[in-house]
Structure formats: structure tokens, C-alpha cells
């Protein structure tokens, strides 16, 4: 009863205090858990990525246009803005032209225009050149991590407060089940759960509007989607995913062609496994090289990391890498569900934006721009769509917070936007591949050249990724070659290059819903796929007492890619957010 | 007064620049030197126990050092001093500048990290103690301040164990790893730190000439460690020691 009253009183006082832009701690709960400081903002954004930052920037721009001000707070679990950003990336400046038209004069890290565009079908020994269906003129090869850093600086110039190193671990609700903000992690808890010398209680960051832009499979976004049934509400199917593993190399001067773009299909993946690779030449003799593997693969012995190592030995890829060194390594999952999987993005008190909802257009090769029409089978990142989505959300949020309009206008704005139209047109490319590589290519070709999505048929996705894994007895183990230390490497060496670190003395952030399932199901039935799909070797089965194998979770290695949360056959692994500031340290990814 | 240095974050994989003049610092994550964090934590604890009135954080370097100072202020320092210098500063220059700041601020205790993780010099603390003619307790693993007697007792980690020294104030202490565990900067404190004052100086204003007596000739990666070999017999071992390693 007391708690209800205190919540009610707090929400009333919040309304008054926000208009004065104050950030005075107003905690005081009448319960026994230690009191948390509470800080109030108008808009709270979780995740300083392209969607989150463009929403923040757009909000401040709208404030200036309307001669008002809103306090905007962006929380980022990475140690700095850009540390957890990984993407191909071929960038189309369309959305940025709208958001920050002076980006060139303001020295945005967008300096390498696309100079060539190749598309190869790989077999074990050959590369067959196919006509490139893309039109990349006017686009740039960039590092999204660098671009996001730059956007962060621009956002701060406009008065956005960005706090890296703080992980939002909890959603705060009021008595009416409306979201009123988030709570950050307690810090300084040791592995056994006891408080360490430097224990620090988390804080509550309250907002009149909360935008979740955590990226693909965001931990809070997944919670919210379940709680408010956002998939059913949007008439959406389940989301499907892929895992992208990437390296940035510094190569020989003679081999480097700034702006060269290459995509491949085929080897090393088999015809049942969707995916492909990319190789982009950036500036400063650096190239971005990666493999994207759809997570609905069936063979539990598949190891996406090892497939990537194999790729680098292909006679058409190898020459670029010889004489070069790897600068960084990383991995991240991405959405492939497209149109069919978009949930209803608005919930009481906020909205989900960016990849957390899933606006990625799979057949778009150009990461950031959602308006690309092409018949690709891979995708890299999704900048322009994310920027646009962020902008639309900001516009709706501005209306909601400033003028009391309904946030559901966001859903309407989305459906009337070019993003919706494009995603609708592209909706059948990916699902067509559930029939196999050749049928998929054929159907995609049909869609791209003739139908262009202008028909009422919408293919459904196959099984959810975690259900697609077959039992191990239906397949035989794949023999992967040993790394040679020059082109291919073992996981620890690669992991070292991701600058990943976590405070080691903290409770593992990868939680098992049922601790017995790994030894009872994952190992005997599926031959422990988590020990293969995790690109950071977090999951290892080691010999314990009585010579039985036991799961060991090396949480400190985690790259925050979320593959385990997606692919675990019994959905037993739950990815939760570790202490802020931990995780990879990407700077050129 | 506590000195803090902005260095490459300890978790980052270091790369040598292709021209071998140094390591790559562009686009690389920078943080407060871990030993400086420990120094600052110790200073904050001394203040919180009522034995000090104010903690001043000092940093010398390019303008980005201000970010590191803000982190120090967020941890709890009261105010900051930034000495702007764009070339790299060697310990002797740092000590000379610090001497001037000490003359201005007159702190009762100077706490530094024992060394910076980028150059591993382990010299600044010792040099400033020499320049100021103050007693020094380096590699501190425990610090106990007695304000009444104006004495600080420092346990030092030395090669043969722990050495306990008693120093008259004012004194210089450099911190070792086991002294304490630094606190996290909380979000409310980070916000408050934005309004704490940072005073700026340049070396010229302080009448210090930064002249380097050292010049970096070359920076290379350490030689790659060759894999070990398992020998099958003592004879083979002797043979290898004699003919391959040339040690017998």
C-alpha cells in the first residue's frame, strides 16, 4: 500500500519537475532494499547506436525548431560510444543528409566512396564472377563504429547527455504497468553474489518516454516485447537471425583499392545454409572482411567461426590478406526476419527502435540505406534505415512528450514511410531460401526482376532458429583445418583482438534457466552446439568429477553478440547485461 | 593532491605504428592509468575519514586529458587542474611542473600511481620527492595517516617482503596494486562532476621549460615467441643445449 502511494506521488511530482529540466535526485522508497538514486529526464534512450543517437539528435533539433527544450539521456553499456558497434559497412548517406546535412563539412568519418562493386559465387577453388545487381554509386565504405562515435560527439554538442559504461538492466514500471524508465546495474558484486568493497547500487533513470535501441536481440527489448505481446499486436512472425563474424585487416599498399566492394555467395557454406561474405576496402590500407551465417542452420556441428577461417584461405580471397595483419576482430548477430517479423514497436511509456525491433532489410546489401533494391543474399548493416527509424521515433516522441500526442503515431509514421514500402517489397527474398540455395536464388531472381514484391503472397519464415537445429545423430562432425596463425587463427588469438574485457569478479551474465539442461540435453542430443556457434568460446565442456563433461561458462570472453540467446535449442541460455563498461572495445568495426 | 594520467586502456591490444616511431594511439580507447585510480581512491578515503579537507586531481597532457580529470572528479575529487601540453612529457618534466603546482596549492600529501602503464617509468614520484625535498613512501600497499602527529605510516611492497616507513608530512606516496580497490564513478556523480572547476595552466605560465633529454629512436614489437619442443631423452636435451642454444 505504501509502495503504491509513493509511486503515485512520485509520478505526479515527476510531471512537474521535468518541465523545469531539473535532475534532482528524488528517491525515497518505503521498502527494505537499499535506496537507489533516481534521476529524471524527458526522454531516456537505451543504446548509443545509429538508431538511438539519431533519435537523440533529431529530438534536440526539434526542440530548437520549436523553441523549447527536452532533457535527453542516452545510456550505453559499452565503455565508450562505438565500442559495441560492428557492421560491414557500405553506407548510403541518404538519411544522414536529412539528419545532419553538413556532415561532410563537419568531418564525418565518411571519406571513402565506393569505387567498384563485385559479386562472386565461390566454389572450393574458384570464384565465378556474377553480374553485380547493385548500384552503389554515391555510397561510401565506412566503419560504423567510427561514424557512431562522430554522431555521439554531434549529439553532445546539441546538449544530449550520453553516459557510456552504464548498462540498463531493468525496466521500471509505474502502478499502471506503464514504463517510466530503466534501472542500471548494481556494480561491485562478486562472483558469489556478495558485495565487494566498491559495491555501488545502480541508479534509476526515469523518462517520460523511454526509447529502446539496444540493437539486435536487445535484452530489455525482448522482455518488453513479451510483456506487451508486441509481436502478436503487430501481426508479426518470430524474428530470424544471422551471425556476422568480422575482421579488419591492414594489407599491403599494392593490394589495397579504397572503395572496392565485394560480396560472395556459396562456399564455404553448403546449399542448406543461408549466408555469404563481404570484403570492403576502407581507407588507410584497411579492409573489412566478414562472413554472415543464418542461424537457422541445421547441422549442430557447424562452426561459423571456423567457416570464416576457411573462407580466408580461398584462392580468390587469400591474395588480399597475405602480407597483412589483423587489427580487430568481432561478431554480432543481426535480424533477417524483415517485414514479416516487425513487431508493434510502441508500448505504454515508450517505443522500440532500430534493430531491437528489426527493420533490417535482408536483400539490401548496403547497410545503411533501406531503399536499396537488390537481389542479395547478405546484408551488412542497416544505417539509413536505422537513422530514419530513429528520426521517426524522435518525431513521434517529441509530439508525445511536448504536446501530449499519442506515441502510437510512430507506428502510423512507420507504415507510411519508405522504409515500410521497401521492407514490404523485399519481404520474400530471405524466406525463399528455406527451400535451399538454388530455389532461393531462383525465387529471388523472380522477385527482383519481375515481381518486385507486387503480389499478395507473403512467404512465411521456416522454424525459429533455435528449433531448426537437428539432433547430432543426423549429422557427422565437420573436420575443420587447424589455424595457420597467418591467415586463420584460433579463437583466443582472435578474441584478444576484440579488446574484450569484463570485470572478472562478477556474477556470470549468461544465465541458465535450468542448470541441468546443458548436460542433459545440449550435450547428448545436440553435441553442445553452443561450444561451436559462440564466436568467443564462452561455452566449454570440461572434464569434471567422474570424468563426466560439465559446462563451463567463460563469461568474461563474451562479445555481446547474443547468438546463444537466439540459438540455444531449449532457449535455456538467457543473455543478461553484465556490469557496464565491459564487453568488446571496437574502434574500427 | 593526486596526479592522474590519461593512457591507453589496459584492455586494448597495442599495435606498433608502421613507421616504428611509437604505438598507435589514434582511435584507441584511453582511460585513467590504473595506478592513478588507486592513488585517487586512497586520497578520497583519507578525505572521507576526515583527515583531509580537499582532494585536487592534476593531469598533464592534451585537451582530452580533461575527460580523464572529469572521471576523477566523478569519483569524488573536489577540483581539477589541467596543464596543457601536446608533446609527450617525460617524468622529469612532469615533476618540475608538479613542483610549481605544489608551491601554488601547498598540499599536505602528494599521492601518485607508482608508474604509468604506457611508459612504465616508475620515476615521477621519486623525482618530485627529490625536487621538493620531501620524504617518499613508494609502492605503498597500506597507508595510515596520523594528522595530529603529522606523520604517515606507509607499508611498502619490496622484493623481500613488506617494509614499513614512517614519514613526516608533507610527503610523497606512490601507490601499488594492492593498496585498495577503486570505486566506480556513479551516474549521479558523473553528472555533478560536470560543474566542478578545472583550472588550466600551460608550462610557460608556470615558468617550466619542457626540454626533453630523451629521444625515442625506435619502437618495435617484442620478438615472436617460438613454440617449445619436447625432447625425448637427456642426450637430446644436451645436444640441443650445446648445438642449438649454445649455452654449454
Amino acid at each position: 500500500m505504501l509502495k503504491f502511494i509513493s509511486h503515485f506521488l512520485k509520478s505526479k511530482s515527476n510531471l512537474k519537475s521535468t518541465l523545469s529540466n531539473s535532475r534532482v535526485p528524488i528517491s525515497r522508497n518505503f521498502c527494505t532494499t537499499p535506496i537507489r538514486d533516481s534521476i529524471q529526464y524527458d526522454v531516456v534512450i537505451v543504446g548509443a547506436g545509429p538508431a538511438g543517437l539519431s533519435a537523440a539528435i533529431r529530438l534536440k533539433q526539434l526542440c530548437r525548431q520549436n523553441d523549447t527544450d527536452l532533457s535527453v539521456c542516452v545510456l550505453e553499456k559499452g565503455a565508450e560510444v562505438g565500442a559495441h558497434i560492428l557492421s560491414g559497412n557500405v553506407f548510403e548517406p541518404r538519411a544522414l543528409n536529412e539528419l545532419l546535412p553538413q556532415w561532410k563539412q563537419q568531418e564525418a568519418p565518411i571519406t571513402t566512396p565506393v569505387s567498384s562493386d563485385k559479386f562472386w559465387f565461390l566454389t572450393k577453388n574458384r570464384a565465378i564472377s556474377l553480374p553485380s545487381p547493385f548500384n552503389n554509386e554515391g555510397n561510401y565504405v565506412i566503419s560504423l563504429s567510427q561514424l557512431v562515435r562522430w554522431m555521439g560527439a554531434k549529439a553532445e554538442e546539441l546538449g544530449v547527455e550520453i553516459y557510456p559504461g552504464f548498462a540498463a538492466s531493468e525496466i521500471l514500471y509505474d502502478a499502471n504497468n506503464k514504463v517510466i524508465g530503466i534501472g542500471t546495474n548494481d556494480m561491485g558484486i562478486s562472483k558469489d553474489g556478495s558485495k565487494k568493497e566498491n559495491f555501488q547500487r545502480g541508479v534509476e533513470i526515469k523518462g517520460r518516454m523511454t526509447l529502446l535501441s539496444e540493437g539486435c536481440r536487445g535484452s530489455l527489448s525482448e522482455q518488453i516485447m513479451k510483456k506487451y505481446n508486441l509481436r502478436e499486436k503487430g501481426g508479426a512472425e518470430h524474428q530470424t537471425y544471422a551471425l556476422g563474424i568480422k575482421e579488419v585487416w591492414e594489407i599491403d599498399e599494392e593490394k589495397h583499392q579504397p572503395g572496392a566492394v565485394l560480396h560472395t555467395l556459396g562456399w564455404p557454406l553448403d546449399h542448406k545454409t543461408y549466408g555469404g561474405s563481404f570484403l570492403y576496402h576502407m581507407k588507410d590500407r584497411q579492409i573489412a572482411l566478414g562472413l554472415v551465417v543464418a542461424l537457422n542452420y541445421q547441422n549442430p556441428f557447424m562452426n561459423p567461426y571456423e567457416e570464416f577461417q576457411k573462407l580466408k584461405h580461398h584462392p580468390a580471397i587469400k591474395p588480399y590478406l597475405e602480407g597483412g595483419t589483423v587489427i580487430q576482430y568481432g561478431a554480432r548477430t543481426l535480424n533477417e526476419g524483415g517485414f514479416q517479423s516487425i513487431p508493434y514497436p510502441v508500448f505504454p511509456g515508450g517505443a522500440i527502435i532500430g534493430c531491437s525491433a528489426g527493420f533490417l532489410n535482408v536483400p539490401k546489401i548496403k547497410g545503411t540505406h533501406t531503399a536499396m533494391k537488390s537481389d542479395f543474399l547478405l546484408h551488412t548493416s542497416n544505417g539509413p534505415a536505422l537513422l530514419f527509424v530513429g528520426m521517426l521515433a524522435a518525431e513521434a516522441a517529441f509530439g508525445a512528450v511536448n504536446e501530449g500526442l499519442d506515441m502510437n503515431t510512430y507506428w502510423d509514421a512507420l507504415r507510411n514511410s519508405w522504409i515500410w514500402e521497401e521492407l514490404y517489397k523485399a519481404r520474400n527474398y530471405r524466406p525463399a531460401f528455406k527451400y535451399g540455395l538454388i530455389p532461393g536464388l531462383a525465387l529471388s531472381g523472380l522477385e527482383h526482376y519481375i515481381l518486385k514484391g507486387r503480389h499478395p503472397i507473403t512467404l512465411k519464415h521456416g522454424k525459429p532458429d533455435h528449433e531448426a537445429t537437428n539432433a547430432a545423430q543426423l549429422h557427422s562432425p565437420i573436420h575443420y583445418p587447424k589455424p595457420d596463425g597467418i591467415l586463420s587463427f584460433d579463437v583466443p588469438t582472435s578474441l584478444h583482438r576484440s579488446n574484450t574485457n569484463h570485470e572478472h569478479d562478477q556474477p556470470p551474465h549468461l544465465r541458465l534457466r535450468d542448470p541441468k539442461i546443458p548436460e542433459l540435453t545440449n550435450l547428448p542430443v545436440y553435441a553442445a552446439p553452443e561450444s561451436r556457434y559462440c564466436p568467443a568460446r564462452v561455452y566449454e565442456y570440461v572434464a569434471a568429477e567422474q570424468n563426466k563433461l560439465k559446462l563451463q561458462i567463460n563469461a568474461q570472453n563474451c562479445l555481446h553478440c547474443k547468438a546463444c540467446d537466439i540459438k540455444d535449442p531449449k532457449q535455456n541460455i538467457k543473455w543478461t547485461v553484465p556490469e557496464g563498461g565491459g564487453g568488446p572495445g571496437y574502434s574500427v568495426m | 593532491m593526486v596526479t592522474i594520467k590519461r593512457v591507453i586502456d589496459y584492455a586494448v591490444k597495442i599495435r606498433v605504428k608502421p613507421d616504428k616511431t611509437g604505438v598507435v594511439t589514434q582511435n584507441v580507447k584511453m582511460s585513467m592509468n590504473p595506478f592513478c585510480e588507486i592513488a585517487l581512491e586512497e586520497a578520497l578515503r583519507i578525505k572521507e575519514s576526515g583527515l583531509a579537507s580537499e582532494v585536487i586531481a592534476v593531469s598533464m597532457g592534451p585537451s582530452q586529458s580533461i575527460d580523464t580529470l572529469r572521471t576523477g572528479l566523478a569519483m569524488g575529487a573536489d577540483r581539477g587542474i589541467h596543464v596543457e601540453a601536446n608533446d609527450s612529457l617525460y617524468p622529469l618534466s612532469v615533476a618540475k611542473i608538479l613542483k610549481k603546482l605544489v608551491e601554488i596549492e601547498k598540499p599536505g600529501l602528494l599521492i601518485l600511481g607508482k608508474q604509468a602503464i604506457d611508459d612504465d617509468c616508475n620515476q615521477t614520484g621519486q623525482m618530485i620527492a627529490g625536487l621538493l625535498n620531501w620524504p617518499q613512501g613508494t609502492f605503498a600497499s597500506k597507508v595510515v595517516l596520523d594528522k595530529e602527529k603529522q606523520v604517515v605510516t606507509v607499508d611498502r611492497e619490496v622484493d623481500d617482503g613488506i617494509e614499513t616507513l614512517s614519514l613526516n608530512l608533507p610527503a610523497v606516496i606512490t601507490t601499488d596494486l594492492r593498496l585498495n580497490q577503486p570505486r566506480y564513478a556513479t551516474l549521479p556523480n558523473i553528472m555533478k562532476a560536470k560543474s566542478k572547476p578545472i583550472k588550466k595552466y600551460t608550462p610557460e605560465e608556470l615558468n617550466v621549460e619542457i626540454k626533453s633529454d630523451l629521444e625515442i629512436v625506435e619502437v618495435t614489437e617484442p620478438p615472436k615467441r617460438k613454440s617449445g619442443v619436447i625432447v625425448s631423452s637427456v642426450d637430446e636435451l644436451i645436444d640441443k643445449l650445446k648445438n642449438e642454444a649454445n649455452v654449454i
Side-chain angles (χ1 to χ4, degrees), chain A residues 266-505:
Chain A
W267 193 87
L269 302 175
D270 63 27
H271 64 98
K272 281 218 186 91
T273 308
Y274 181 87
S277 80
F278 61 89
L279 203 166
Y280 303 146
H281 292 240
M282 304 192 284
K283 63 181 170 96
D284 295 337
R285 292 195 291 133
Q286 290 177 356
I287 60 167
L289 169 66
L291 180 68
V292 178
V293 179
L295 284 177
N296 66 345
Y297 65 81
Q298 297 166 352
N299 185 346
F301 293 105
M302 233 273 276
N303 188 323
Y305 173 85
E306 294 293 347
E307 300 288 342
F308 178 49
Q309 304 309 312
K310 264 164 68 176
L311 172 81
K312 289 189 276 178
H313 285 275
H314 189 278
I317 304 279
K318 204 161 64 157
Y320 289 105
L321 308 177
E322 280 162 342
T325 42
V326 185
I327 301 180
Q328 255 178 34
Y329 161 82
R332 184 73 171 91
T333 51
L334 32 101
N335 303 304
E336 294 210 319
F339 184 81
Q340 291 88 323
S341 300
I342 301 177
Y344 192 81
V346 180
F347 52 85
I352 303 180
I353 62 179
C355 280
S356 294
F359 297 102
L360 214 76
N361 184 338
V362 180
K364 232 189 241 193
I365 239 353
K366 242 178 247 89
T368 36
H369 186 57
T370 25
M372 287 314 358
K373 303 154 199 162
S374 39
D375 138 90
F376 316 22
L377 316 151
L378 322 159
H379 72 152
T380 44
S381 78
N382 181 17
L386 293 180
L387 293 185
F388 254 77
V389 156
M391 289 159 69
L392 287 179
E395 279 154 25
F398 185 76
V401 174
N402 209 39
E403 297 153 32
L405 298 177
D406 191 349
M407 188 63 187
N408 289 302
T409 54
Y410 176 46
W411 180 237
D412 301 322
L414 263 176
R415 282 184 304 166
N416 289 326
S417 73
W418 56 262
I419 298 175
W420 203 258
E421 200 192 310
E422 283 308 318
L423 288 177
Y424 181 72
K425 279 205 200 132
R427 72 195 183 282
N428 284 324
Y429 290 89
R430 174 68 183 92
F433 284 84
K434 70 184 179 201
Y435 304 117
L437 181 65
I438 306 298
L441 278 171
L443 280 168
S444 296
L446 187 65
E447 276 281 343
H448 174 66
Y449 291 108
I450 301 173
L451 296 174
K452 299 192 201 290
R454 285 185 303 241
H455 56 88
I457 303 172
T458 299
L459 290 176
K460 281 196 171 341
H461 295 314
K463 290 190 213 158
D465 296 340
H466 63 274
E467 286 176 21
T469 320
N470 285 339
Q473 63 190 29
L474 298 174
H475 297 267
S476 39
I478 303 178
H479 169 71
Y480 288 106
K482 265 181 139 56
D484 68 354
I486 304 169
L487 294 174
S488 49
F489 309 95
D490 60 14
V491 175
T493 310
S494 293
L495 199 56
H496 182 47
R497 295 177 177 135
S498 64
N499 297 326
T500 298
N501 192 37
H502 292 93
E503 165 58 46
H504 76 280
D505 192 12

Side-chain angles (χ1 to χ4, degrees), chain B residues 51 146-151:
Chain B
L51 299 170
D146 189 336
K147 195 165 180 188
E148 263 196 58
K149 298 191 193 143
Q150 285 286 293
V151 151

Side-chain angles (χ1 to χ4, degrees), chain A residues 86-293:
Chain A
L86 183 155
S87 173
N89 181 300
V90 176
F91 182 74
E92 183 185 316
R94 170 173 162 169
L96 196 60
N97 289 338
E98 248 200 56
L99 186 66
L100 295 164
Q102 304 288 313
W103 59 262
K104 206 168 205 150
Q105 293 89 318
Q106 290 172 345
E107 294 176 347
I110 305 171
T111 51
T112 311
V114 171
S115 58
S116 69
D117 214 339
K118 299 210 187 94
F119 188 47
W120 293 346
F121 184 89
L122 296 182
T123 62
K124 186 150 189 264
N125 294 309
R126 293 172 58 212
I128 302 160
S129 197
L130 294 177
S132 175
F134 322 130
N135 179 8
N136 268 317
E137 235 182 277
N139 299 323
Y140 296 81
V141 177
I142 64 162
S143 154
L144 193 60
S145 176
Q146 287 295 311
L147 178 60
V148 164
R149 263 163 229 266
W150 177 84
M151 284 175 72
K154 292 288 151 234
E156 287 193 306
E157 279 170 25
L158 288 170
V160 174
E161 292 177 45
I162 305 182
Y163 297 108
F166 289 94
S169 61
E170 192 191 329
I171 315 246
L172 303 172
Y173 302 94
D174 66 7
N176 296 321
N177 251 345
K178 177 177 167 207
V179 171
I180 52 171
I182 56 99
T184 63
N185 256 341
D186 290 342
M187 315 255 272
I189 303 182
S190 99
K191 253 196 180 112
D192 59 15
S194 60
K195 298 188 184 145
K196 292 194 287 196
E197 198 181 26
N198 57 358
F199 173 77
Q200 209 52 264
R201 190 91 170 87
V203 294
E204 296 183 349
I205 310 282
K206 295 208 174 126
R208 292 162 65 196
M209 186 66 59
T210 304
L211 299 178
L212 299 178
S213 49
E214 300 168 288
C216 174
R217 197 82 172 186
S219 40
L220 294 181
S221 308
E222 292 293 311
Q223 265 181 51
I224 290 273
M225 286 197 272
K226 271 206 191 79
K227 185 181 170 80
Y228 295 105
N229 279 329
L230 295 181
R231 289 215 190 277
E232 286 84 1
K233 201 165 171 196
E237 285 194 75
H238 55 271
Q239 184 63 266
T240 66
Y241 305 89
L243 175 62
I245 304 182
K246 176 182 169 184
E247 283 174 354
V248 171
W249 285 68
E250 192 177 70
I251 60 174
D252 276 344
E253 187 74 50
E254 313 88 56
K255 299 181 184 173
H256 188 242
Q257 304 147 20
V261 164
L262 166 69
H263 293 98
T264 78
L265 194 53
W267 193 87
L269 302 175
D270 63 27
H271 64 98
K272 281 218 186 91
T273 308
Y274 181 87
S277 80
F278 61 89
L279 203 166
Y280 303 146
H281 292 240
M282 304 192 284
K283 63 181 170 96
D284 295 337
R285 292 195 291 133
Q286 290 177 356
I287 60 167
L289 169 66
L291 180 68
V292 178
V293 179

Side-chain angles (χ1 to χ4, degrees), chain B residues 99-119:
Chain B
K99 177 163 184 254
K100 295 286 176 167
L101 292 175
V102 166
E103 284 164 10
I104 297 173
E105 297 285 347
K106 301 195 195 346
L109 191 57
L110 191 53
I111 312 183
L112 306 88
K114 72 172 181 181
Q115 65 199 57
I117 60 173
D118 54 4
D119 54 26

Side-chain angles (χ1 to χ4, degrees), chain B residues 4 56-67 69 79-86 97 101 197-203 205-206:
Chain B
I4 55 185
I56 308 171
V58 176
S59 193
M60 307 180 195
S63 56
Q64 295 95 323
S65 301
I66 296 189
D67 297 334
L69 268 178
R79 53 190 174 90
I81 297 179
H82 172 230
V83 179
E84 178 127 23
N86 284 313
I97 296 174
L101 292 175
I198 294 184
K199 187 148 178 75
K200 273 217 178 62
Y201 291 100
T202 62
E205 282 171 17
L206 297 169

Side-chain angles (χ1 to χ4, degrees), chain A residues 37 39 41 79-80 146 161 163 166 187-188 197-198 200 203 205 250 327 496-497 499 501 579 587, chain B residues 10-13 15 18 26-30 45 180-188 190-191 194:
Chain A
D37 274 338
I39 310 171
Y41 284 92
E80 39 179 35
Q146 287 295 311
E161 292 177 45
Y163 297 108
F166 289 94
M187 315 255 272
E197 198 181 26
N198 57 358
Q200 209 52 264
V203 294
I205 310 282
E250 192 177 70
I327 301 180
H496 182 47
R497 295 177 177 135
N499 297 326
N501 192 37
E579 261 184 29
S587 57
Chain B
Y10 74 91
V12 165
K13 181 176 186 294
R15 280 197 317 136
Q26 210 194 31
N27 296 330
V28 157
K29 176 162 192 279
M30 309 290 274
R45 289 185 190 191
N180 60 46
Q181 198 171 96
R183 64 194 62 186
Y184 292 102
T186 63
L187 204 43
I190 292 179
M191 294 171 184
K194 287 191 200 171

Side-chain angles (χ1 to χ4, degrees), chain A residues 480-552:
Chain A
Y480 288 106
K482 265 181 139 56
D484 68 354
I486 304 169
L487 294 174
S488 49
F489 309 95
D490 60 14
V491 175
T493 310
S494 293
L495 199 56
H496 182 47
R497 295 177 177 135
S498 64
N499 297 326
T500 298
N501 192 37
H502 292 93
E503 165 58 46
H504 76 280
D505 192 12
Q506 63 172 304
H509 63 278
L510 300 152
R511 311 268 161 88
L512 299 173
R513 291 191 168 94
D514 180 346
K516 297 197 282 305
I517 289 192
E519 285 90 13
L520 288 180
T521 311
N522 286 38
L523 187 54
V525 178
Y526 299 101
E530 63 272 19
S531 62
R532 288 184 206 90
Y533 60 64
C534 173
R537 193 151 304 157
V538 168
Y539 302 97
E540 273 186 310
Y541 282 83
V542 293
E545 66 235 24
Q546 294 161 0
N547 262 338
K548 279 212 197 125
L549 289 175
K550 191 166 151 49
L551 175 63
Q552 174 179 288

